[in-house]
């Protein structure tokens, strides 16, 4: 028998009446599921009844062989719980079974960022209003990763993560995802960051050939990654170890050095430059050719013309000498006609 106090609404007195447990209808008992830790289920029992309590026993859905009390429940886990209604510690009935998952209100914020040209390190804080100590649980951890990278996700316990193996001068979206018992929980916190400028890729092949006997044409195998804001190829020409010429081209590795010395050995070096760093270059040697016969004749003819023009003035005043040498220089002397006149 259960003793309950009954009040008369039309009078000011109340009395206690013993009633049987049959009046308890488990389906009419409201049970408020827990929304935090430590877990607590509020069951609405008939008012004014003495010594009525409810003790709950819970089973994990994925491991129904082990029962738990409310204080043993873990966050982010599915449970089924049934309450034992007791009167003076004697079980009189069971409540209906309820199902729930304690979903802690996690808030994760990235607080500090440190970036290099190949890595990104960041720190964060995680808080929960409903589950104050959830981050101290041994089963609570984080997964940190960066999109578009070959780095495998890192599992960490604390609030700092370092992701390496990144490429220079690329925007990455990095995130930290809370986990509980290797299951993702809550929402990830992310940040978009650009890695620092790095060193351009190495030039692996250079080709040179001589053009018009004293010009060197240069090409190289173009690279894919400059790892910086600029994309320049630089070609340098060396003679006896000293640089004698330099050219720059944007995104095009094609150069030509003209008007070089004949029959001379030059060294050509090509590198990539991104505005801050210059990569490892590649060199090649090339020999210019002898002057062609036609080109040589052109030079001789030009030289003779220059010399003969300088002699024109003095020969006008000495016709005897002029007559003796006319038949030798008539072909080369541009002023012969004027002198004859």
């Amino acid at each position: 028998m259960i003793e309950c106090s009954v009040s008369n609404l039309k009078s000011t007195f109340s009395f206690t009446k013993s009633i049987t447990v049959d009046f308890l209808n488990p389906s009419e008992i409201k049970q408020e599921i827990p929304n935090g830790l430590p877990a607590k289920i509020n069951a609405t029992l008939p008012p004014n009844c003495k010594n009525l309590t409810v003790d709950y026993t819970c089973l994990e859905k994925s491991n129904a062989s082990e029962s738990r009390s409310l204080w043993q429940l873990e966050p982010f886990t599915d449970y089924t719980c049934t309450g034992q209604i007791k009167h003076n510690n004697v079980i009189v009935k069971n409540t209906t079974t309820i199902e729930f998952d304690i979903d802690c209100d996690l808030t994760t914020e990235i607080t500090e960022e440190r970036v290099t040209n190949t890595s990104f390190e960041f720190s964060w804080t995680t808080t929960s209003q409903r589950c104050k100590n959830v981050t101290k649980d041994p089963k609570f951890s984080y997964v940190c990763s960066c999109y578009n990278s070959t780095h495998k996700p890192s599992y960490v316990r604390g609030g700092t993560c370092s992701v390496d193996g990144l490429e220079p001068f690329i925007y990455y979206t990095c995130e930290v995802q809370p986990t509980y018992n290797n299951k993702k929980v809550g929402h990830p916190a992310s940040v978009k960051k650009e890695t620092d400028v790095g060193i351009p890729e190495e030039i692996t092949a250079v080709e040179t050939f001589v053009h018009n006997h004293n010009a060197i044409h240069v090409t190289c195998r173009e690279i894919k990654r400059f790892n910086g804001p600029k994309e320049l190829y630089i070609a340098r020409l060396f003679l006896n170890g000293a640089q004698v010429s330099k050219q720059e081209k944007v995104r095009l590795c094609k150069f030509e050095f003209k008007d070089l010395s004949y029959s001379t050995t030059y060294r050509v070096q090509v590198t990539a430059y991104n505005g801050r760093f210059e990569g490892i270059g590649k060199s090649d040697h090339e020999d210019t050719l002898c002057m062609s016969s036609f080109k040589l004749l052109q030079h001789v003819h030009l030289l003779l013309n220059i010399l003969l023009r300088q002699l024109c003035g003095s020969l006008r005043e000495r016709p005897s000498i002029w007559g003796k040498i006319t038949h030798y220089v008539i072909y080369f002397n541009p002023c012969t006609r004027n002198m004859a006149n």
Side-chain angles (χ1 to χ4, degrees):
M1 302 293 289
I2 300 174
E3 294 182 352
C4 297
S5 298
V6 180
S7 298
N8 190 333
L9 296 178
K10 296 182 180 180
S11 63
T12 59
F13 67 92
S14 62
F15 63 95
T16 301
K17 182 179 180 181
S18 297
I19 58 177
T20 64
V21 298
D22 294 335
F23 85 100
L24 289 175
N25 186 353
S27 62
E28 294 180 353
I29 297 176
K30 294 182 180 180
Q31 303 176 88
E32 184 178 342
I33 64 175
N35 61 357
L37 291 177
K40 182 179 180 181
I41 300 176
N42 292 320
T44 305
L45 297 173
N48 303 322
C49 292
K50 296 180 179 180
N51 301 322
L52 276 183
T53 59
V54 181
D55 285 340
Y56 282 93
T57 301
C58 301
L59 296 175
E60 185 178 341
K61 282 188 176 181
S62 60
N63 183 19
S65 61
E66 181 181 353
S67 62
R68 298 192 180 194
S69 300
L70 288 179
W71 65 271
Q72 295 176 307
L73 300 188
E74 297 179 347
F76 311 107
T77 306
D78 293 324
Y79 291 101
T80 59
C81 296
T82 304
Q84 295 176 336
I85 304 175
K86 296 181 179 180
H87 180 250
N88 291 326
N89 292 324
V90 177
I91 300 174
V92 293
K93 277 194 176 182
N94 290 331
T95 66
T96 57
T97 299
I98 57 175
E99 298 181 0
F100 58 87
D101 175 8
I102 301 175
D103 187 9
C104 299
D105 55 331
L106 295 177
T107 301
T108 302
E109 295 181 351
I110 294 177
T111 57
E112 189 176 356
E113 307 162 13
R114 293 170 293 277
V115 65
T116 70
N117 56 13
T118 58
S119 66
F120 182 57
E121 183 177 324
F122 54 104
S123 302
W124 63 87
T125 59
T126 300
T127 58
S128 174
Q129 297 298 319
R130 297 197 296 260
C131 308
K132 300 293 186 181
N133 297 319
V134 63
T135 58
K136 298 178 181 179
D137 193 310
K139 294 183 179 180
F140 190 87
S141 62
Y142 302 90
V143 178
C144 59
S145 60
C146 291
Y147 300 145
N148 300 325
S149 73
T150 58
H151 178 88
K152 294 182 179 180
S154 299
Y155 293 85
V156 296
R157 285 279 304 137
T160 300
C161 179
S162 180
V163 180
D164 54 15
L166 305 181
E167 294 187 8
F169 205 64
I170 289 182
Y171 274 100
Y172 288 94
T173 298
C174 299
E175 74 169 26
V176 54
Q177 170 67 61
T179 66
Y180 188 83
N181 201 20
N182 298 323
K183 181 180 70 174
K184 293 181 180 180
V185 294
H187 299 287
S190 63
V191 61
K192 188 174 183 180
K193 202 73 175 179
E194 184 182 40
T195 49
D196 284 345
V197 175
I199 298 176
E201 292 180 352
E202 177 182 356
I203 301 295
T204 58
V206 172
E207 294 184 0
T208 61
F209 66 88
V210 175
H211 178 64
N212 289 337
H213 292 263
N214 69 332
I216 297 179
H217 187 82
V218 183
T219 59
C220 77
R221 183 179 298 165
E222 296 179 351
I223 64 175
K224 295 181 179 180
R225 294 279 305 153
F226 282 85
N227 298 326
K230 293 184 178 181
E231 299 181 359
L232 296 177
Y233 290 99
I234 300 177
R236 294 179 174 89
L237 188 69
F238 295 88
L239 177 61
N240 297 325
Q243 179 178 310
V244 294
S245 184
K246 174 183 175 181
Q247 296 181 17
E248 296 183 358
K249 290 288 183 66
V250 178
R251 298 181 182 177
L252 181 65
C253 193
K254 185 179 292 185
F255 307 89
E256 188 172 20
F257 295 95
K258 300 180 180 180
D259 300 324
L260 305 179
S261 299
Y262 291 95
S263 301
T264 305
T265 300
Y266 290 94
R267 181 171 69 90
V268 179
Q269 182 191 56
V270 180
T271 60
Y273 178 66
N274 61 18
R276 187 186 301 181
F277 299 113
E278 195 168 341
I280 299 175
K282 186 74 173 178
S283 298
D284 194 16
H285 291 80
E286 192 64 75
D287 297 328
T288 55
L289 303 179
C290 296
M291 188 180 296
S292 66
S293 299
F294 177 76
K295 195 74 174 180
L296 181 61
L297 288 175
Q298 283 184 321
H299 279 258
V300 171
H301 184 266
L302 177 62
L303 179 60
L304 287 175
N305 277 324
I306 293 173
L307 293 175
L308 291 175
R309 287 178 185 276
Q310 293 176 353
L311 292 173
C312 283
S314 59
L315 291 177
R316 292 176 188 276
E317 299 176 357
R318 303 178 67 182
S320 58
I321 298 177
W322 170 252
K324 293 180 182 180
I325 64 174
T326 299
H327 64 283
Y328 293 109
V329 299
I330 190 169
Y331 177 77
F332 297 102
N333 188 0
C335 57
T336 301
R337 183 175 299 177
N338 295 332
M339 291 187 64
N341 295 331

